[in-house]
Amino acid sequence: MTITMGAPAPTKLAERFTASANATDSPVFSNEQFWQWFTEKRRRNGYVVRRIPFAEMSGWDFDPATGNLGHHSGRFFTVEGLQVRTDWQGGWSWAQPIINQPEIGILGLVVKEFDGVLHCLMQAKMEPGNIDTIQLSPTVQATRSNYTGVHKGRPITHIEYFVSRRDSTVLADSLQSEHGTWFLRKRNRNMIVEVTDEVPEHDDFCWLTIGQVHQLLKKDNVVNMDTRSVLSCLPFGAAGYRTDGSAFRSALRNSLSHDQPARHTTTELLSWLTEIKARHELDQRSVPLSSVDRWYRDDNEIAHEDGKHFTIIATEVAAAEREVSQWTQPLLAPTEQGVVGFLARPIDGVLHLLAHARAEAGGRDIVELAPTVQCLPGNYRDEEPGRRPRYLDLIQNAVGQHVYYDSVQSEEGGRFYHADSRYRVVEAPDGFPLETPDEYRWITVHQATDLLQHSNYFNVQARSLIAGLHSGA
């Protein structure tokens, strides 16, 4: 039987999500039970991921004419060359390898009420590039190639709640971008669906409240990127939002309210963003990978001649509990840990985040809203001060009570190898100006959440921080 009732009204839905966020433990699956289950999953995983030469990959080859790296099926993804030029922020021009995966995947979260509190169906999922191999993923995390069976492996568990909508009601559904620096125009469908009937039990899945997942976001490399992306789309209400008496939590609660003042109206923010997109250019031109300047390929990697940015490597994966038990694939491996951070401050008692309109190589629409700082610091070690990311030192050097949120989180483990970033939300120092450079704007959390009900406003790093914000300080 398919549920035909509409989704709850926005205010009621925000109240339900807020009640779940306030529940930091649960009799359905307690924090103690979770850690026993998750630790055992990691201990017993038996997964093996090892680097191999490109020549040992099965089903993957370099095109002799272009040097592009692709799969024999023509599906999954390719590694290609990209020539980029933008006139935004003084103008940039460069060429690089990039992952081209044009299909849209599903990042889907099933939620269900237990004793009146919404719980999320979370999965302990292995990805070849993950640090610690297993991390906590949404109910479904699948490319179109995977859930349509191109890999010829086992079906994706619980995919029916999102594809055929069997016995489920959609609560949120939007297309959101992935890493624009490393993917070409890549998007995933971020979905939240509610069920009322029994969900078949499976040893790789557990039910957790939103509050339990928020607490896990304080831990390094436990909650994967796809979960963080979906969580960022959850609306919360100020009424009843859990606070601990701290100035930060009080300002955050105020920031969830549509009735509290904002530095800029949402109309003003959208007009500013539209103006940037209308007046500036992001020219992306696909080029043969073999022609990308300053990048080289040897038997084991594709890399930049200065040792910066990232490399493309080949891996062999053994994973008995995945849909396919053994395969080879390329992965993108960053050269260092990233730094990602929002500067934040109360303005008239309302927490505001300093968002950056950022152009990225693989972006779809000139710019998206990004954190205040987002970079691999070593890429700028030889740059003039004016070319270093603005506010980087403030994000990196903040300590103690001035840091609202601080954790190391992995990026997308299905395509990136041991890619992680230090995610921080940092209080702007005394005297920090309210007036901002043209590429920055102050934004409240409720404005961000409203925009996240739609597609392509915030990049994935910003979404990760917005999710983590609720576990901060």
Side-chain angles (χ1 to χ4, degrees):
M1 178 184 69
T2 300
I3 298 173
T4 57
M5 71 180 73
T11 301
K12 179 64 175 176
L13 189 59
E15 291 174 356
R16 297 173 72 205
F17 284 139
T18 301
S20 183
N22 288 341
T24 57
D25 206 343
S26 170
V28 175
F29 204 68
S30 70
N31 295 333
E32 182 180 359
Q33 287 175 294
F34 168 79
W35 281 113
Q36 291 173 350
W37 170 78
F38 191 68
T39 302
E40 183 67 8
K41 284 289 179 185
R42 282 185 165 176
R43 187 185 69 81
R44 295 180 56 190
N45 69 61
Y47 302 131
V48 177
V49 181
R50 69 180 186 92
R51 290 187 60 166
I52 58 174
F54 288 124
E56 292 184 15
M57 285 197 300
S58 174
W60 295 83
D61 276 317
F62 290 98
D63 185 285
T66 64
N68 293 351
L69 179 57
H71 193 263
H72 292 176
S73 68
R75 302 291 294 274
F76 302 110
F77 63 94
T78 55
V79 181
E80 305 174 356
L82 187 70
Q83 183 73 44
V84 187
R85 181 189 60 80
T86 180
D87 62 350
W88 177 234
Q89 291 183 259
W92 298 76
S93 179
W94 73 96
Q96 66 170 81
I98 201 157
I99 298 173
N100 186 0
Q101 185 178 328
E103 62 186 29
I104 292 175
I106 291 176
L107 309 180
L109 191 61
V110 169
V111 298
K112 181 180 178 179
E113 277 195 4
F114 293 91
D115 296 325
V117 178
L118 282 174
H119 286 64
C120 307
L121 186 58
M122 309 303 300
Q123 180 182 180
K125 185 176 180 66
M126 176 273 182
E127 291 289 352
N130 276 353
I131 294 171
D132 294 325
T133 312
I134 290 178
Q135 295 190 12
L136 203 61
S137 89
T139 317
V140 165
Q141 173 186 321
T143 66
R144 182 171 177 81
S145 289
N146 285 345
Y147 71 76
T148 57
V150 173
H151 54 40
K152 299 179 180 177
R154 295 193 301 271
I156 303 295
T157 305
H158 300 315
I159 188 64
E160 66 274 10
Y161 294 115
F162 303 94
V163 175
S164 63
R165 310 283 176 82
R166 191 192 75 182
D167 301 328
S168 63
T169 300
V170 176
L171 302 184
D173 192 353
S174 61
L175 292 175
Q176 301 293 348
S177 62
E178 284 209 41
H179 293 75
T181 304
W182 300 331
F183 276 117
L184 180 60
R185 306 188 191 105
K186 177 74 172 71
R187 294 187 296 176
N188 279 317
R189 192 174 180 182
N190 286 228
M191 300 181 70
I192 303 167
V193 302
E194 184 176 8
V195 300
T196 56
D197 292 343
E198 290 298 317
V199 176
E201 293 186 4
H202 192 292
D203 186 54
D204 289 340
F205 293 79
C206 70
W207 292 101
L208 299 176
T209 67
I210 296 168
Q212 287 177 290
V213 181
H214 281 167
Q215 295 305 302
L216 295 174
L217 283 169
K218 296 180 179 181
K219 306 293 185 180
D220 294 350
N221 297 312
V222 171
V223 179
N224 79 358
M225 185 210 77
D226 300 302
T227 298
R228 302 192 307 267
S229 179
V230 178
L231 287 176
S232 72
C233 301
L234 296 175
F236 298 111
Y241 186 80
R242 178 179 56 85
T243 63
D244 56 9
S246 68
F248 166 74
R249 297 293 298 189
S250 296
L252 174 55
R253 179 182 58 192
N254 291 339
S255 194
L256 297 172
S257 172
H258 291 71
D259 298 327
Q260 294 290 328
R263 174 68 175 170
H264 307 283
T265 68
T266 300
T267 300
E268 289 169 342
L269 291 170
L270 290 174
S271 179
W272 161 72
L273 201 59
T274 302
E275 174 76 6
I276 292 170
K277 294 178 180 182
R279 294 187 59 183
H280 294 278
E281 297 178 350
L282 177 65
D283 180 63
Q284 301 157 319
R285 183 168 56 89
S286 294
V287 297
L289 182 59
S290 57
S291 72
V292 174
D293 188 41
R294 302 191 68 192
W295 291 77
Y296 68 87
R297 185 184 106 200
D298 61 22
D299 292 341
N300 300 300
E301 65 179 9
I302 301 167
H304 193 270
E305 63 184 24
D306 289 343
K308 296 180 179 180
H309 309 296
F310 59 86
T311 62
I312 304 293
I313 63 173
T315 60
E316 181 181 63
V317 185
E321 296 183 14
R322 283 290 299 262
E323 295 82 16
V324 175
S325 61
Q326 189 166 2
W327 71 93
T328 62
Q329 71 169 91
L331 288 171
L332 183 152
T335 54
E336 63 176 321
Q337 185 178 89
V339 174
V340 179
F342 269 123
L343 285 177
R345 66 176 297 172
I347 300 175
D348 296 327
V350 179
L351 189 73
H352 285 64
L353 308 173
L354 187 59
H356 180 205
R358 178 183 172 91
E360 297 184 297
R364 296 186 64 88
D365 196 13
I366 315 297
V367 296
E368 282 190 304
L369 294 175
T372 317
V373 170
Q374 172 191 321
C375 69
L376 299 181
N379 288 349
Y380 300 91
R381 61 176 179 261
D382 303 323
E383 296 283 356
E384 299 175 0
R387 287 290 197 179
R388 281 175 52 81
R390 196 191 297 262
Y391 310 126
L392 174 59
D393 291 343
L394 292 179
I395 295 294
Q396 283 188 304
N397 298 336
V399 295
Q401 64 184 18
H402 301 292
V403 179
Y404 296 143
Y405 177 69
D406 188 1
S407 69
V408 174
Q409 301 291 350
S410 293
E411 309 300 345
E412 209 279 328
R415 299 291 176 262
F416 310 144
Y417 182 74
H418 288 189
D420 67 354
S421 299
R422 188 173 186 187
Y423 281 85
R424 311 190 93 196
V425 178
V426 171
E427 182 183 19
D430 291 341
F432 191 89
L434 281 177
E435 296 299 323
T436 62
D438 189 52
E439 66 266 31
Y440 295 86
R441 286 293 186 275
W442 294 107
I443 186 167
T444 66
V445 180
H446 84 74
Q447 288 175 322
T449 303
D450 286 352
L451 293 178
L452 281 166
Q453 306 312 301
H454 308 281
S455 302
N456 302 124
Y457 282 112
F458 285 89
N459 74 4
V460 68
Q461 289 90 343
R463 299 198 305 274
S464 280
L465 276 177
I466 289 168
L469 192 66
H470 298 284
S471 67

